[in-house]
Amino acid sequence: MPNSPPPDSDNPPQSEQWVSQDRAVVRFSSIAIALYGYDQGMMSLVNTNRSYLRTMGISEDSSLVGVIVSVYYVGCLLGAIAASYWADEKGRKRAISACLYTTIVGNLLMFVSGLFPWKSDATWCGGSLALMFFGRVVLGLGVGGIDATIPVYSSELSKDGARGTALAKEFQANIGGLFLAFALNWVLTLWLGKDSQWAWRLPIVIMQVFPWVLIFIIKSLPESPRWLISQDRMDEAREALVALHREVRAGEVFDELHWAQQQETDEKIGYMDMLNPDESQFHPTMVTIMGQVNQALTGFGAVSVYGPQIFELLGLNVQWAEILTLINYFIYMIAMRGAWMSIDVVGRRKLMCWGSMGLATCFGLLAIFGGLALDFFHEPNLIMEILGSAVLIASTSIFGVCWLATVWLIPTEIYPSGARAQGSAISVIVWGLANFAVTFLTPLGFNYLKYWLFLVFTVTNVFAGWWTWCFSPETGGRSFEENQEFFVSAREEGSWVVKKVDGGKFLRLPPKQQDAANAEDGKVAKDNPSEATPLLQQPSES
């Protein structure tokens, strides 16, 4: 194979050809993921606003508070199914655009619930509550669809050794959205008071900024060339590749993608195939499902939505609980830098196992501190409050680094292209169901278990760590096809235990000498490209 010519004015370096377009894709993905984070933070103080509770016709300790929050996840799982189908049939851009418009509608329905007549906290004879329920479901349809498509899109545009970094950066934006929503809620509550309807309505309607900005950005992004080729729309695929790579490389990349598409089987892989134990995609589907179940079992869906109430379980008053929740989210956002610095260096498996051990320890300590604060001292105790708050903040950072991005990344790395969108959708579906259960049951735990709720999360974290160590393969640093080899070997050897499959090869990241061999193989892959070849080769950052 001849050496590549040196770059010149007629043949600019590859990074110069596509970097601006690639940055637009990353920014778009980050804002989309931030949209989900904003919704979580938005409901934290809405749940305790007295005007909101009067408008809904419920009390603060009513189980309906949790139902309003958790019904959103029902919409998410339905949206994930619809979006994955729409993305395969109509294209990525149209699916994402449809989800964004759905988000706008759902958000507006929430905003207008009980709005008229002015300053009345009108229940509309139960209509306000019903409209809020409906708005939360519609909002979930949109956000769930976005969550199902963005991780797939991001991973397909990143090289094998940088997929985790790219997605972790996007999830740092997710926590940025969480922090922004809670900060805005807190400032408005401080300024307007908990009896003002605008202290809860403004944070809801300000969410409109996210989908409208995304709609504006997506107009400038090309459709996925891989999808266009799969639909035999070759001219449009070439145009999209020119937008991404310019003329000098568009033809070469087109040939690679066209060759990869020809190697794909025409067999349709449906959801029932993925849930059938006799089919090849059942094993990766179980890894996907248990990843999201285990993330929910860490308990941090509850911390995200009910942050202030958790600090109150440690003995803090309402004002300090809200301030520390804000500080916690800010540190959470900063700590996410550790996720994108380590996820492709340490690996997904180790991060999740270490995270489970750290979280189990933290929740065990929180149970002790909560018990001492509420049952031993029987009055606010500064030492217990400081120790408990420090441990809760540390545990949040541990979760962010070790568990937030990993379980969203793995489903995008273990399926063939014909099942990748469905795999990501299943991930969102299980995430929705698991978080529905957690956010619904957490208020009941506050009321009946008090600080013993922390002990429950201690046990669930131990289980999550055990399952991950035994059954979740290391997918970092490997191509899509290499990761699929794990499931082929597991089927042939009759075991799902990672250390027993292929000589324990997938217990850890591939060795560096193998990385070098993979890099050499990448040169050969230009002549024999595979489906695993990424569409864009992401440059290293200084």
Side-chain angles (χ1 to χ4, degrees):
M1 181 177 178
N3 293 329
S4 301
D8 53 39
S9 58
D10 296 324
N11 188 21
Q14 182 179 342
S15 61
E16 293 180 9
Q17 294 174 30
W18 58 263
V19 66
S20 61
Q21 188 68 67
D22 182 63
R23 284 177 179 169
V25 171
V26 172
R27 288 184 185 126
F28 175 82
S29 300
S30 298
I31 296 171
I33 297 297
L35 175 64
Y36 160 58
Y38 185 93
D39 177 77
Q40 283 188 304
M42 176 183 73
M43 294 304 294
S44 292
L45 286 181
V46 168
N47 291 330
T48 61
N49 183 283
R50 288 188 287 268
S51 169
Y52 166 78
L53 295 171
R54 289 193 297 269
T55 302
M56 297 300 110
I58 58 179
S59 61
E60 188 171 352
D61 59 356
S62 169
S63 61
L64 285 176
V65 173
V67 175
I68 294 172
V69 173
S70 56
V71 75
Y72 160 84
Y73 296 106
V74 176
C76 285
L77 67 90
L78 296 175
I81 296 172
S84 64
Y85 172 81
W86 195 259
D88 284 340
E89 295 295 321
K90 302 297 182 181
R92 308 298 194 202
K93 285 186 65 173
R94 291 181 68 178
I96 293 172
S97 295
C99 292
L100 292 173
Y101 284 114
T102 303
T103 299
I104 289 170
V105 173
N107 179 262
L108 287 176
L109 291 174
M110 292 171 60
F111 172 72
V112 301
S113 297
L115 182 60
F116 303 104
W118 297 103
K119 300 181 180 179
S120 64
D121 296 334
T123 63
W124 292 351
C125 298
S128 297
L129 179 61
L131 188 59
M132 179 61 71
F133 271 127
F134 185 59
R136 290 288 292 168
V137 173
V138 174
L139 180 66
L141 288 172
V143 177
I146 292 169
D147 287 346
T149 53
I150 292 299
V152 172
Y153 188 56
S154 174
S155 68
E156 289 181 341
L157 298 184
S158 301
K159 65 181 181 180
D160 298 336
R163 292 191 300 261
T165 300
L167 194 65
K169 287 181 177 180
E170 291 164 15
F171 272 91
Q172 187 174 34
N174 168 268
I175 306 307
L178 175 70
F179 171 74
L180 174 63
F182 190 87
L184 183 63
N185 254 300
W186 185 71
V187 170
L188 288 172
T189 299
L190 202 62
W191 178 31
L192 300 173
K194 285 186 176 287
D195 288 299
S196 169
Q197 66 168 328
W198 296 108
W200 68 269
R201 291 192 191 276
L202 283 177
I204 289 177
V205 77
I206 287 173
M207 187 180 178
Q208 290 280 324
V209 172
F210 287 92
W212 283 114
V213 168
L214 290 167
I215 288 169
F216 175 78
I217 294 176
I218 200 173
K219 291 180 179 179
S220 65
L221 300 178
E223 181 56 271
S224 165
R226 191 184 297 276
W227 179 83
L228 290 169
I229 291 174
S230 72
Q231 302 297 307
D232 203 29
R233 293 160 60 174
M234 302 303 180
D235 291 340
E236 293 175 70
R238 288 189 180 92
E239 291 176 6
L241 287 168
V242 168
L244 291 167
H245 294 277
R246 298 185 184 179
E247 291 283 358
V248 290
R249 288 202 68 247
E252 178 186 351
V253 176
F254 175 83
D255 291 340
E256 293 177 0
L257 294 180
H258 190 205
W259 184 93
Q261 178 61 34
Q262 290 176 324
Q263 308 311 305
E264 287 286 316
T265 175
D266 292 330
E267 180 185 3
K268 291 290 186 180
I269 301 175
Y271 288 105
M272 294 310 298
D273 298 318
M274 301 172 78
L275 296 173
N276 185 342
D278 295 328
E279 297 293 337
S280 61
Q281 298 309 311
F282 177 73
H283 186 179
T285 300
M286 290 301 102
V287 171
T288 297
I289 289 172
M290 287 306 299
Q292 287 291 359
V293 168
N294 288 334
Q295 189 198 60
L297 292 178
T298 64
F300 268 82
V303 175
S304 296
V305 178
Y306 303 108
Q309 293 93 320
I310 295 219
F311 276 103
E312 288 179 40
L313 287 179
L314 296 172
L316 284 89
N317 61 37
V318 173
Q319 183 178 4
W320 272 107
E322 293 174 355
I323 292 173
L324 284 172
T325 300
L326 186 63
I327 294 172
N328 189 27
Y329 290 159
F330 178 75
I331 295 174
Y332 190 8
M333 179 177 63
I334 301 302
M336 279 302 296
R337 183 177 179 88
W340 57 261
M341 291 177 67
S342 62
I343 194 168
D344 286 320
V345 177
V346 175
R348 292 83 163 120
R349 251 175 74 85
K350 283 185 179 179
L351 281 181
M352 289 189 290
C353 291
W354 292 349
S356 292
M357 290 188 292
L359 290 170
T361 302
C362 287
F363 277 118
L365 290 173
L366 287 173
I368 294 172
F369 295 150
L372 291 173
L374 297 180
D375 286 347
F376 184 77
F377 293 106
H378 300 291
E379 61 182 20
N381 182 276
L382 182 60
I383 295 177
M384 292 298 102
E385 291 171 0
I386 292 174
L387 290 175
S389 299
V391 171
L392 183 56
I393 290 171
S395 66
T396 305
S397 297
I398 291 172
F399 171 81
V401 173
C402 299
W403 272 97
L404 181 61
T406 46
V407 298
W408 292 100
L409 179 62
I410 291 172
T412 71
E413 301 178 309
I414 60 178
Y415 292 100
S417 63
R420 195 168 298 128
Q422 294 97 316
S424 185
I426 287 174
S427 182
V428 175
I429 291 167
V430 178
W431 163 81
L433 290 172
N435 280 278
F436 173 87
V438 169
T439 53
F440 174 72
L441 294 174
T442 297
L444 299 178
F446 290 154
N447 293 334
Y448 296 106
L449 296 178
K450 305 298 182 183
Y451 56 84
W452 290 107
L453 181 64
F454 297 134
L455 192 58
V456 172
F457 288 140
T458 299
V459 175
T460 57
N461 271 287
V462 170
F463 172 82
W466 169 82
W467 196 97
T468 300
W469 177 254
C470 289
F471 303 111
S472 185
E474 178 54 65
T475 58
R478 296 181 170 95
S479 69
F480 298 146
E481 288 181 339
E482 287 175 314
N483 286 327
Q484 290 157 35
E485 289 174 5
F486 169 81
F487 300 101
V488 173
S489 297
R491 192 177 182 90
E492 293 174 349
E493 297 172 22
S495 176
W496 285 16
V497 178
V498 178
K499 69 178 181 179
K500 295 182 179 180
V501 177
D502 205 0
K505 174 182 175 181
F506 290 86
L507 283 170
R508 56 190 63 85
L509 289 168
K512 292 186 177 180
Q513 58 266 31
Q514 183 174 333
D515 292 343
N518 289 344
E520 183 64 29
D521 290 342
K523 298 178 182 178
V524 179
K526 290 185 177 180
D527 293 330
N528 298 285
S530 70
E531 190 278 327
T533 304
L535 187 59
L536 296 177
Q537 295 294 332
Q538 190 167 339
S540 61
E541 295 187 9
S542 57

